[in-house]
Amino acid sequence: MAKTYDYLFKLLLIGDSGVGKTCVLFRFSDDSFNNSFISTIGIDFKIRTIELDGKKIKLQIWDTAGQERFRTITTAYYRGAMGIILVYDITNERSFENIKNWIRNIEEHAASDVERMIIGNKCDIEERREVSRDRGEQLAIEYGTKFLETSAKANLNIDEAFFTLARDIKSKMEQNEMRAGGSVSNTGRVNVGGSGTQKKSFFSNWSCNLL
Amino acid sequence: MPNSSSTSQPATTGSETASTSYVNYVEMSAEQEYFLYELETTDSGSMGLVLRAIYDTGDVQSFARALQQRISHYDKNIQKVCSFHYQSFVDAMQELMKLKEQCQDIKEETVAIDAEIQQISQRLCQKKQEIVRYRKLMKNAKTAMDQIAVCLPVLENYAKLQEQMSNRKYYQALKTLEELEHTHLALVEKYRFTQVLAKSMAPVRLEIKEKAYSEFKDFLENIKKVAGRIGKHASKDTAEQHSFGVTDAERAKKIQEEARKNASNVEIEVSADGSIVKKNMSPKRNMKMQVEDDEQVSAQDLIDFTPVHRCCQIFNVLGAKEEFEQYYRQQRKEQCDLVIEPTHKMNNFKHYVEYLDEIVGFFVVEDQILMTQSNLSTTVDKDKLWDNALMKIRQHLDARFGGSPDVLMMLKMKKVILLFILTMKSYGYAVAPLYELLQNFRDQYNEILVKEYCAQFERDLEKDNYTPITVNSEEEFRTIIRKFPFYKRSMEQEPFPRRFPFSPFVTDAYTQAKNYLIGCLKFMDNLQLNTSAVDDTVRRCANVLLGRWAGVLKSFVHKRLSMIQLVQITINLGYLEKSCESLGAFITSKTSGEEAIGTTSHQVVLSEKVFRDVRSEVEQQIDECMRSKVDEIIDLANYDWELPAAAGQASEFISDLINFLQTTFTSFTNLPSGLAKHVCTQTCKHISQSMSDFLLSPETKCISTGALDQFSLDVMQCEMFTTRCPVAGVDPQTLSMTFADLRQLLDLVMSSDWTTFNAEYGKDHAKYLRVKASTAIVVLEKMIEFERKSTGFFGIAKGDRKKLLDTIVRQLKLLEI
């Protein structure tokens, strides 16, 4: 079968139940929003092809159920993920507090070089905000990840989040390819023998703006 | 005098003589005798005839002689008589001389008396003349008085006429005029003043006519103003007679009974029922009060019908009865047209009530006039007027409400129209077309209801969370149980939180269904249908709704729904089907109440089968959904068909696919067992087919041995899934068969067991029974192609393998034939 893409990136969405993981994914893949809250069962995924610097990149994005009873079953998907987006709800303090627990899950089950990003969703509901942007940014700095506030409902920063993550993954991959002598792996994955120091960088200007 | 006496006597004597002579002369001829007799006896008129007869005999001389003889005879007799009476004559003369003297004396004496009387009566004559003059005077006076007496009634009546005209009493004036013309004036026509009167009375008749018309127009205007009130009152009467008020009382009573039944339920509900009772009592009391207030009002009280009767009488006397009748009908027709035509500002309910009240009032008045003045109009005329009006009323109501989406307005209008129908019916008007109108409205109303509840149904589908309802307390649990008739004994002992199998959509839909049925019942209230008919109709309405809901679900399901939604829908459908029985009981309780508890009758069965089709549709969509997910992952397949050696583990996309299936079938614990088995089987079949398509695809030109090894590893991974399938009740043997074809093909090609294949081809127990020669050929040809490319690069050493494969292909083609 002829390949229809240059790279395949597997991403994972994790976070508490009800923070809007599925809505974020739907906005990105289908550009639609469903007002009713349908709780995800087990696992789901969407595939969308984007173009980055002239390369066709197919994003396979796994959407996990946030409920406790699905916690064990969804960890099987951590290992295959190249990028993980941790989602909290700015109107739900507890979901923000639990980001620490989700980080711990990643460290336990995911590849050590997985790319990570934290997003605070539902930023359009300003009147019910419980978590300030500053605290979100502080947490991201603490864990050395990118940070964005988003709104799946208002379609704010959704594409930015996924493109940023994809760009970071692609950048790292290309560095590894150069280090490996230019050999290209068909699976899009290269396991690096030595662990390099992860560069910590983020763009503080990337934030949720409501006009 | 004495001379006269003398003359008489001779005549007598002559007769006697004649008779005697006849007897003496017998010698004369009989004829001559006859002639002489005739001459003596006949009158002078016949003399001519006798003489003619004499001359006709021709013997005149003879007759003359006879005649002479007779004359002589008579002369002789005369002389005898004279001689005999001479002495008496002389004596008489002497007496006369004496008498003369005496008379002279008397004459003188009389003259003296006369002179005396003349003198004495001179004054008397004078008095007599005076009396004559006075008498004449009195006569003239009496005549004058008599004539004047005859003239007086004329003058009196004329004055009366003038007065009546100025007092606008036209009928009395007309009667007076008629009396004047035909009775009194006839007697005094010769007088000049009466001619002047007659001339001046001529226009009075015209004036009366015009005034009568004018008064009638005022009457028409008056009834126009009052018609609305009359109609309103008539409608109230009808409402009272047909127990509209009592219906409210009955409803209140029923609610009280229901409240008593539900006494064990929560306090809130009891209070709600209580408040409902109060709410219903209040309108009843108000209605009674209104009836009492308006009890005195009637058509007779509001309208003075005298002008109509008076006009009839006037025109009857005027001899223009038909003219007036025609005028009346024309005017009433025009007035009717005006009443029937709604004004442009008919934009709210109140206007329509007033509109119908006006119509009722108009026809009540018409009926009243017909009863009291039957010659003015006829039943035929009235019915014609009504038929025409009825057609237009129906048109207007249809035009206004034919497309109305306002259910509440239609309910109100239904009640108003029904009251209108009953009112007109009580006055003897035909109302069948209006019942048809109401039936059309009912159908339309039901259609609107169905559309509304379908829209709500769709909204409920859209906003449902497709998650089983979870309750955390006994109170929440009871709330759900009340909304939806779900009973599971074990559930009441479960600890909290408890989960119902269905999502909130089910309770919402059930509630909506009940509300819809109540809505249907509202329109049939007071339509005078019996309980059985209402029950049947409502059940048919229920079936219509269920059928429509099934349609909505079908189209909804074809949207891009997620697995979660589809699975929950199929579960929900099961409970909706079960709820049909409860809906049936609900209908019975609403239409029959307690009365029908013991009744066993054939009822329209609520159709739970309508969901059967949509359920299979949903299941099909679940298959489709799963298949599309599988395809999305398989699209990521990235086989290197020229791979030199296998990686030693399954391809990444296969691992992801198997993980996905494992997670999904494990997580969807609410998927019905049968459905889960079906979906799992169909999915495995689909994966197998897709893998086969990879291998056999014309796009794949060559396949290396290494690629085949990798492909085989992938199929093996799928086979492992079938043996460890997480779906309960699935037979691993059966599920493994979905990959059997592929496995046999791979085993055959990879082990090059062509000898066995060729030897056993077509036999029932062949080792490679599932492999077709044509399929094997396709794979072999791809392998040959790969060998051809490899030979080109790596030398002659592999030429022998190619030749071998070519030989095998030729043998297989023979098998095909």
Side-chain angles (χ1 to χ4, degrees), chain A residues 169-195:
Chain A
I169 294 169
K170 179 172 176 294
S171 177
K172 178 181 291 184
M173 176 178 295
E174 284 168 352
Q175 289 176 24
N176 290 335
E177 283 171 357
M178 284 193 299
R179 191 177 299 141
S183 67
V184 177
S185 169
N186 289 324
T187 60
R189 291 259 338 195
V190 175
N191 288 322
V192 181
S195 63

PDB file of all heavy atoms in Angstrom, chain A residues 169-195:
ATOM      1  N   ILE A 169       7.343  17.552  18.404  1.00  0.00           N
ATOM      2  CA  ILE A 169       7.670  16.146  18.149  1.00  0.00           C
ATOM      3  C   ILE A 169       8.512  16.026  16.886  1.00  0.00           C
ATOM      4  O   ILE A 169       9.516  15.305  16.840  1.00  0.00           O
ATOM      5  CB  ILE A 169       6.380  15.309  18.011  1.00  0.00           C
ATOM      6  CG1 ILE A 169       5.636  15.272  19.350  1.00  0.00           C
ATOM      7  CG2 ILE A 169       6.691  13.890  17.537  1.00  0.00           C
ATOM      8  CD1 ILE A 169       4.248  14.699  19.255  1.00  0.00           C
ATOM      9  N   LYS A 170       8.097  16.759  15.852  1.00  0.00           N
ATOM     10  CA  LYS A 170       8.816  16.699  14.572  1.00  0.00           C
ATOM     11  C   LYS A 170      10.243  17.211  14.729  1.00  0.00           C
ATOM     12  O   LYS A 170      11.199  16.623  14.196  1.00  0.00           O
ATOM     13  CB  LYS A 170       8.063  17.531  13.540  1.00  0.00           C
ATOM     14  CG  LYS A 170       8.724  17.577  12.162  1.00  0.00           C
ATOM     15  CD  LYS A 170       7.801  18.265  11.170  1.00  0.00           C
ATOM     16  CE  LYS A 170       8.454  18.424   9.814  1.00  0.00           C
ATOM     17  NZ  LYS A 170       9.618  19.336   9.836  1.00  0.00           N
ATOM     18  N   SER A 171      10.375  18.273  15.510  1.00  0.00           N
ATOM     19  CA  SER A 171      11.693  18.868  15.702  1.00  0.00           C
ATOM     20  C   SER A 171      12.635  17.893  16.390  1.00  0.00           C
ATOM     21  O   SER A 171      13.773  17.676  15.967  1.00  0.00           O
ATOM     22  CB  SER A 171      11.545  20.138  16.534  1.00  0.00           C
ATOM     23  OG  SER A 171      12.800  20.701  16.804  1.00  0.00           O
ATOM     24  N   LYS A 172      12.107  17.248  17.422  1.00  0.00           N
ATOM     25  CA  LYS A 172      12.911  16.282  18.161  1.00  0.00           C
ATOM     26  C   LYS A 172      13.282  15.101  17.274  1.00  0.00           C
ATOM     27  O   LYS A 172      14.423  14.624  17.274  1.00  0.00           O
ATOM     28  CB  LYS A 172      12.127  15.803  19.382  1.00  0.00           C
ATOM     29  CG  LYS A 172      12.857  14.755  20.193  1.00  0.00           C
ATOM     30  CD  LYS A 172      12.014  14.292  21.375  1.00  0.00           C
ATOM     31  CE  LYS A 172      11.879  15.395  22.414  1.00  0.00           C
ATOM     32  NZ  LYS A 172      11.134  14.916  23.604  1.00  0.00           N
ATOM     33  N   MET A 173      12.322  14.661  16.477  1.00  0.00           N
ATOM     34  CA  MET A 173      12.551  13.513  15.598  1.00  0.00           C
ATOM     35  C   MET A 173      13.654  13.816  14.590  1.00  0.00           C
ATOM     36  O   MET A 173      14.535  12.997  14.316  1.00  0.00           O
ATOM     37  CB  MET A 173      11.247  13.155  14.881  1.00  0.00           C
ATOM     38  CG  MET A 173      11.381  12.050  13.883  1.00  0.00           C
ATOM     39  SD  MET A 173       9.804  11.660  13.154  1.00  0.00           S
ATOM     40  CE  MET A 173       8.936  11.067  14.573  1.00  0.00           C
ATOM     41  N   GLU A 174      13.600  15.014  14.042  1.00  0.00           N
ATOM     42  CA  GLU A 174      14.606  15.375  13.040  1.00  0.00           C
ATOM     43  C   GLU A 174      15.994  15.471  13.670  1.00  0.00           C
ATOM     44  O   GLU A 174      16.996  15.096  13.064  1.00  0.00           O
ATOM     45  CB  GLU A 174      14.205  16.689  12.365  1.00  0.00           C
ATOM     46  CG  GLU A 174      13.090  16.498  11.353  1.00  0.00           C
ATOM     47  CD  GLU A 174      12.485  17.799  10.894  1.00  0.00           C
ATOM     48  OE1 GLU A 174      12.816  18.855  11.467  1.00  0.00           O
ATOM     49  OE2 GLU A 174      11.654  17.750   9.968  1.00  0.00           O
ATOM     50  N   GLN A 175      16.046  15.960  14.897  1.00  0.00           N
ATOM     51  CA  GLN A 175      17.331  15.988  15.589  1.00  0.00           C
ATOM     52  C   GLN A 175      17.884  14.582  15.768  1.00  0.00           C
ATOM     53  O   GLN A 175      19.056  14.311  15.535  1.00  0.00           O
ATOM     54  CB  GLN A 175      17.171  16.645  16.957  1.00  0.00           C
ATOM     55  CG  GLN A 175      16.935  18.140  16.896  1.00  0.00           C
ATOM     56  CD  GLN A 175      16.697  18.736  18.262  1.00  0.00           C
ATOM     57  OE1 GLN A 175      17.129  18.151  19.273  1.00  0.00           O
ATOM     58  NE2 GLN A 175      16.045  19.877  18.320  1.00  0.00           N
ATOM     59  N   ASN A 176      16.989  13.680  16.152  1.00  0.00           N
ATOM     60  CA  ASN A 176      17.417  12.292  16.345  1.00  0.00           C
ATOM     61  C   ASN A 176      17.857  11.662  15.035  1.00  0.00           C
ATOM     62  O   ASN A 176      18.788  10.864  14.996  1.00  0.00           O
ATOM     63  CB  ASN A 176      16.276  11.471  16.960  1.00  0.00           C
ATOM     64  CG  ASN A 176      16.012  11.874  18.393  1.00  0.00           C
ATOM     65  OD1 ASN A 176      16.942  12.392  19.052  1.00  0.00           O
ATOM     66  ND2 ASN A 176      14.823  11.659  18.883  1.00  0.00           N
ATOM     67  N   GLU A 177      17.193  12.020  13.982  1.00  0.00           N
ATOM     68  CA  GLU A 177      17.558  11.464  12.677  1.00  0.00           C
ATOM     69  C   GLU A 177      18.961  11.913  12.285  1.00  0.00           C
ATOM     70  O   GLU A 177      19.776  11.139  11.791  1.00  0.00           O
ATOM     71  CB  GLU A 177      16.542  11.910  11.611  1.00  0.00           C
ATOM     72  CG  GLU A 177      15.234  11.152  11.670  1.00  0.00           C
ATOM     73  CD  GLU A 177      14.192  11.766  10.761  1.00  0.00           C
ATOM     74  OE1 GLU A 177      14.479  12.818  10.134  1.00  0.00           O
ATOM     75  OE2 GLU A 177      13.080  11.200  10.681  1.00  0.00           O
ATOM     76  N   MET A 178      19.259  13.161  12.536  1.00  0.00           N
ATOM     77  CA  MET A 178      20.597  13.658  12.204  1.00  0.00           C
ATOM     78  C   MET A 178      21.658  12.963  13.047  1.00  0.00           C
ATOM     79  O   MET A 178      22.719  12.574  12.579  1.00  0.00           O
ATOM     80  CB  MET A 178      20.657  15.170  12.447  1.00  0.00           C
ATOM     81  CG  MET A 178      19.956  15.974  11.378  1.00  0.00           C
ATOM     82  SD  MET A 178      20.347  17.708  11.477  1.00  0.00           S
ATOM     83  CE  MET A 178      19.744  18.142  13.080  1.00  0.00           C
ATOM     84  N   ARG A 179      21.301  12.754  14.294  1.00  0.00           N
ATOM     85  CA  ARG A 179      22.246  12.101  15.197  1.00  0.00           C
ATOM     86  C   ARG A 179      22.470  10.661  14.781  1.00  0.00           C
ATOM     87  O   ARG A 179      23.557  10.101  14.939  1.00  0.00           O
ATOM     88  CB  ARG A 179      21.697  12.142  16.626  1.00  0.00           C
ATOM     89  CG  ARG A 179      22.722  11.735  17.673  1.00  0.00           C
ATOM     90  CD  ARG A 179      22.120  11.876  19.057  1.00  0.00           C
ATOM     91  NE  ARG A 179      21.733  13.251  19.324  1.00  0.00           N
ATOM     92  CZ  ARG A 179      20.631  13.587  19.973  1.00  0.00           C
ATOM     93  NH1 ARG A 179      19.819  12.638  20.398  1.00  0.00           N
ATOM     94  NH2 ARG A 179      20.364  14.854  20.179  1.00  0.00           N
ATOM     95  N   ALA A 180      21.436  10.039  14.194  1.00  0.00           N
ATOM     96  CA  ALA A 180      21.517   8.632  13.787  1.00  0.00           C
ATOM     97  C   ALA A 180      22.120   8.479  12.403  1.00  0.00           C
ATOM     98  O   ALA A 180      22.078   7.405  11.831  1.00  0.00           O
ATOM     99  CB  ALA A 180      20.135   7.992  13.833  1.00  0.00           C
ATOM    100  N   GLY A 181      22.568   9.557  11.818  1.00  0.00           N
ATOM    101  CA  GLY A 181      23.237   9.436  10.541  1.00  0.00           C
ATOM    102  C   GLY A 181      22.307   9.503   9.351  1.00  0.00           C
ATOM    103  O   GLY A 181      22.634   9.002   8.275  1.00  0.00           O
ATOM    104  N   GLY A 182      21.140  10.060   9.540  1.00  0.00           N
ATOM    105  CA  GLY A 182      20.258  10.309   8.409  1.00  0.00           C
ATOM    106  C   GLY A 182      19.379   9.155   8.012  1.00  0.00           C
ATOM    107  O   GLY A 182      18.628   9.243   7.055  1.00  0.00           O
ATOM    108  N   SER A 183      19.426   8.058   8.730  1.00  0.00           N
ATOM    109  CA  SER A 183      18.551   6.942   8.355  1.00  0.00           C
ATOM    110  C   SER A 183      17.116   7.267   8.766  1.00  0.00           C
ATOM    111  O   SER A 183      16.868   7.754   9.854  1.00  0.00           O
ATOM    112  CB  SER A 183      19.010   5.661   9.043  1.00  0.00           C
ATOM    113  OG  SER A 183      18.805   5.778  10.449  1.00  0.00           O
ATOM    114  N   VAL A 184      16.194   6.972   7.862  1.00  0.00           N
ATOM    115  CA  VAL A 184      14.788   7.283   8.114  1.00  0.00           C
ATOM    116  C   VAL A 184      14.035   5.997   8.436  1.00  0.00           C
ATOM    117  O   VAL A 184      14.079   5.034   7.681  1.00  0.00           O
ATOM    118  CB  VAL A 184      14.141   7.958   6.893  1.00  0.00           C
ATOM    119  CG1 VAL A 184      12.674   8.207   7.148  1.00  0.00           C
ATOM    120  CG2 VAL A 184      14.872   9.244   6.575  1.00  0.00           C
ATOM    121  N   SER A 185      13.350   6.023   9.572  1.00  0.00           N
ATOM    122  CA  SER A 185      12.568   4.859   9.959  1.00  0.00           C
ATOM    123  C   SER A 185      11.155   4.968   9.392  1.00  0.00           C
ATOM    124  O   SER A 185      10.506   5.998   9.504  1.00  0.00           O
ATOM    125  CB  SER A 185      12.494   4.767  11.481  1.00  0.00           C
ATOM    126  OG  SER A 185      11.531   3.800  11.852  1.00  0.00           O
ATOM    127  N   ASN A 186      10.687   3.870   8.796  1.00  0.00           N
ATOM    128  CA  ASN A 186       9.348   3.891   8.210  1.00  0.00           C
ATOM    129  C   ASN A 186       8.243   4.035   9.247  1.00  0.00           C
ATOM    130  O   ASN A 186       7.188   4.565   8.987  1.00  0.00           O
ATOM    131  CB  ASN A 186       9.116   2.616   7.405  1.00  0.00           C
ATOM    132  CG  ASN A 186       9.948   2.632   6.139  1.00  0.00           C
ATOM    133  OD1 ASN A 186      10.139   3.691   5.534  1.00  0.00           O
ATOM    134  ND2 ASN A 186      10.460   1.487   5.749  1.00  0.00           N
ATOM    135  N   THR A 187       8.502   3.540  10.425  1.00  0.00           N
ATOM    136  CA  THR A 187       7.466   3.620  11.450  1.00  0.00           C
ATOM    137  C   THR A 187       7.395   4.995  12.072  1.00  0.00           C
ATOM    138  O   THR A 187       6.527   5.275  12.883  1.00  0.00           O
ATOM    139  CB  THR A 187       7.733   2.596  12.554  1.00  0.00           C
ATOM    140  OG1 THR A 187       9.001   2.891  13.134  1.00  0.00           O
ATOM    141  CG2 THR A 187       7.733   1.194  11.983  1.00  0.00           C
ATOM    142  N   GLY A 188       8.351   5.851  11.745  1.00  0.00           N
ATOM    143  CA  GLY A 188       8.326   7.183  12.300  1.00  0.00           C
ATOM    144  C   GLY A 188       8.833   7.237  13.718  1.00  0.00           C
ATOM    145  O   GLY A 188       8.762   8.261  14.369  1.00  0.00           O
ATOM    146  N   ARG A 189       9.296   6.133  14.223  1.00  0.00           N
ATOM    147  CA  ARG A 189       9.779   6.126  15.600  1.00  0.00           C
ATOM    148  C   ARG A 189      11.229   5.675  15.615  1.00  0.00           C
ATOM    149  O   ARG A 189      11.600   4.742  14.930  1.00  0.00           O
ATOM    150  CB  ARG A 189       8.944   5.166  16.457  1.00  0.00           C
ATOM    151  CG  ARG A 189       7.556   5.613  16.707  1.00  0.00           C
ATOM    152  CD  ARG A 189       7.337   6.216  18.073  1.00  0.00           C
ATOM    153  NE  ARG A 189       8.310   5.844  19.075  1.00  0.00           N
ATOM    154  CZ  ARG A 189       8.087   6.059  20.366  1.00  0.00           C
ATOM    155  NH1 ARG A 189       6.965   6.552  20.760  1.00  0.00           N
ATOM    156  NH2 ARG A 189       9.024   5.757  21.252  1.00  0.00           N
ATOM    157  N   VAL A 190      12.037   6.341  16.432  1.00  0.00           N
ATOM    158  CA  VAL A 190      13.436   5.915  16.623  1.00  0.00           C
ATOM    159  C   VAL A 190      13.712   5.907  18.110  1.00  0.00           C
ATOM    160  O   VAL A 190      13.489   6.903  18.795  1.00  0.00           O
ATOM    161  CB  VAL A 190      14.416   6.866  15.926  1.00  0.00           C
ATOM    162  CG1 VAL A 190      15.847   6.449  16.246  1.00  0.00           C
ATOM    163  CG2 VAL A 190      14.169   6.866  14.428  1.00  0.00           C
ATOM    164  N   ASN A 191      14.158   4.800  18.601  1.00  0.00           N
ATOM    165  CA  ASN A 191      14.532   4.740  20.008  1.00  0.00           C
ATOM    166  C   ASN A 191      15.992   5.149  20.154  1.00  0.00           C
ATOM    167  O   ASN A 191      16.903   4.512  19.635  1.00  0.00           O
ATOM    168  CB  ASN A 191      14.342   3.320  20.552  1.00  0.00           C
ATOM    169  CG  ASN A 191      12.867   2.989  20.692  1.00  0.00           C
ATOM    170  OD1 ASN A 191      12.085   3.851  21.070  1.00  0.00           O
ATOM    171  ND2 ASN A 191      12.506   1.753  20.379  1.00  0.00           N
ATOM    172  N   VAL A 192      16.196   6.223  20.872  1.00  0.00           N
ATOM    173  CA  VAL A 192      17.551   6.725  21.051  1.00  0.00           C
ATOM    174  C   VAL A 192      18.193   6.010  22.224  1.00  0.00           C
ATOM    175  O   VAL A 192      17.609   5.910  23.295  1.00  0.00           O
ATOM    176  CB  VAL A 192      17.527   8.242  21.303  1.00  0.00           C
ATOM    177  CG1 VAL A 192      18.944   8.756  21.455  1.00  0.00           C
ATOM    178  CG2 VAL A 192      16.795   8.927  20.162  1.00  0.00           C
ATOM    179  N   GLY A 193      19.414   5.542  22.025  1.00  0.00           N
ATOM    180  CA  GLY A 193      20.074   4.803  23.088  1.00  0.00           C
ATOM    181  C   GLY A 193      20.375   5.666  24.285  1.00  0.00           C
ATOM    182  O   GLY A 193      19.995   5.383  25.412  1.00  0.00           O
ATOM    183  N   GLY A 194      21.004   6.809  24.041  1.00  0.00           N
ATOM    184  CA  GLY A 194      21.377   7.655  25.154  1.00  0.00           C
ATOM    185  C   GLY A 194      20.291   8.664  25.454  1.00  0.00           C
ATOM    186  O   GLY A 194      19.573   9.114  24.567  1.00  0.00           O
ATOM    187  N   SER A 195      20.173   9.017  26.701  1.00  0.00           N
ATOM    188  CA  SER A 195      19.164  10.010  27.051  1.00  0.00           C
ATOM    189  C   SER A 195      19.803  11.371  27.006  1.00  0.00           C
ATOM    190  O   SER A 195      20.788  11.632  27.673  1.00  0.00           O
ATOM    191  CB  SER A 195      18.616   9.722  28.449  1.00  0.00           C
ATOM    192  OG  SER A 195      19.643   9.836  29.401  1.00  0.00           O
TER     193      SER A 195
END
